[in-house]
Amino acid sequence: MANIASARKRIRQTIKRTARNKARKSRVQGVMRKVEEAVASGDHQAAREAFRVAQPELQRAAGKGVFKANTVARRLSRLSARVKAVGAAA
């Protein structure tokens, strides 16, 4: 355990930050899963709506530094392509 006050504070900050990042990652996984489920069901309207909810959540995670910007861009691109494919098939 740290003996220096600034080190103790750093530990407290890290615990809070880790919890916050974990919650955000979990939320991102949830919205991505909803998009994937909507795509799998073949419902274009539901997939578009789920993608509309997922997009700002992913962007927010990138802005907060939870994911790198290119990772978010790649995931959004792939999700968008899948949603469009469902629309074309319908």
Side-chain angles (χ1 to χ4, degrees):
M1 188 65 190
N3 291 322
I4 298 170
S6 61
R8 281 192 232 120
K9 180 178 178 180
R10 266 297 175 199
I11 290 169
R12 289 195 307 269
Q13 288 175 332
T14 301
I15 290 168
K16 285 180 193 173
R17 194 174 296 118
T18 301
R20 204 176 299 130
N21 288 344
K22 195 172 180 181
R24 193 173 300 280
K25 266 187 184 178
S26 178
R27 202 161 41 247
V28 165
Q29 286 174 344
V31 294
M32 286 188 66
R33 181 179 41 79
K34 285 180 183 172
V35 175
E36 291 292 345
E37 286 173 354
V39 167
S41 71
D43 186 359
H44 181 61
Q45 193 62 33
R48 280 181 48 196
E49 185 60 35
F51 182 74
R52 236 185 52 199
V53 171
Q55 192 170 4
E57 197 63 52
L58 277 155
Q59 295 288 357
R60 204 170 297 122
K64 300 291 183 183
V66 177
F67 293 112
K68 290 185 177 180
N70 283 351
T71 302
V72 169
R74 183 182 67 245
R75 287 184 181 185
L76 284 173
S77 176
R78 288 177 182 174
L79 281 176
S80 176
R82 287 190 190 117
V83 169
K84 285 180 185 175
V86 169

